[in-house]
Amino acid sequence: MADKTTHKERTRARILDEAARALRLSGTDGVSVADLMKRAGLTHGGFYAHFASRDDLVDHAIGRMFEDSSRMLERFVGAGANAKGLSGLIDYYLAPQAWRVRDQGCPLPGLSSEAARMPDAARARYQAGVVRFRAAIAAALAAMGKPGPEQLAASVMAEMIGAVSMARSFDAEADGLAWLQACRAALRERLGLDAA
């Protein structure tokens, strides 16, 4: 019996991984159950053994994406958050892979513009992810002694997410990477990270 549970969990994880890729690339409108199951190497009929509906899938896929983001945040600004960790987070978030690898990474640049139209459960999960992200950055800013760390964290997040979104709007890689580099340098300077 344990083997079947393990197989079912692996299958569900595979579906969620495919859904997360589709969400990052095409938003919620890009999640077709039939296409998704085909890419996962499964039959369309098997979908309902794992999810109650397409909305249920979207909800859990968003949760899956924020699990990945939580690991990223923990790596850089987890326990003992400080300027070095925040500097590392900004460098990682605004690195060239943010332009090159659009089907991975933080869900915020790709989904922020459509969060208000998400199903209720997915929107709640999305908003919880935003709150966790902001709190992690605010903790690092507080450790650095920055005044108003919550407000500043919101601004830093907006700048990071906006930088990635704008960089991805360029067709030419050189233009997208130049945008990321300029935003990274300006943000580091604004926060005094190069002097730290």
Side-chain angles (χ1 to χ4, degrees):
M1 190 63 121
D3 288 344
K4 287 185 180 186
T5 302
T6 302
H7 174 72
K8 186 173 182 175
E9 290 171 354
R10 283 195 309 261
T11 301
R12 180 181 169 90
R14 199 162 76 221
I15 296 167
L16 285 172
D17 287 343
E18 285 298 329
R21 277 190 204 86
L23 282 167
R24 286 179 176 109
L25 289 173
S26 305
T28 56
D29 289 340
V31 178
S32 157
V33 171
D35 291 344
L36 180 70
M37 294 301 281
K38 185 177 180 180
R39 283 195 309 273
L42 302 164
T43 64
H44 184 199
F47 173 81
Y48 294 99
H50 301 281
F51 302 97
S53 66
R54 182 182 172 282
D55 285 355
D56 184 41
L57 169 67
V58 169
D59 173 29
H60 285 89
I62 287 171
R64 174 78 166 161
M65 292 190 299
F66 276 108
E67 287 173 19
D68 296 341
S69 285
S70 291
R71 284 191 287 277
M72 173 191 64
L73 290 172
E74 183 61 32
R75 176 177 161 201
F76 292 106
V77 290
N82 55 30
K84 182 179 178 184
L86 183 58
S87 178
L89 175 65
I90 291 168
D91 290 349
Y92 178 83
Y93 202 93
L94 301 178
Q97 80 263 10
W99 188 91
R100 293 180 180 137
V101 188
R102 298 169 191 221
D103 66 341
Q104 298 173 17
C106 181
L108 294 172
L111 294 178
S112 292
S113 64
E114 64 180 88
R117 296 183 305 276
M118 289 179 186
D120 291 344
R123 189 170 54 252
R125 199 179 292 251
Y126 175 89
Q127 290 171 353
V130 170
V131 168
R132 281 192 305 275
F133 199 114
R134 180 180 177 181
I137 293 175
L141 293 168
M144 293 168 59
K146 297 288 184 183
E150 288 290 328
Q151 183 178 356
L152 184 55
S155 174
V156 169
M157 275 183 67
E159 192 167 344
M160 290 168 62
I161 295 162
V164 173
S165 295
M166 289 299 299
R168 289 176 178 174
S169 72
F170 292 103
D171 290 331
E173 180 177 3
D175 294 336
L177 298 187
W179 187 277
L180 288 173
Q181 183 179 7
C183 292
R184 178 183 155 274
L187 185 55
R188 290 178 60 85
E189 182 179 352
R190 179 165 73 97
L191 296 176
L193 292 171
D194 291 326

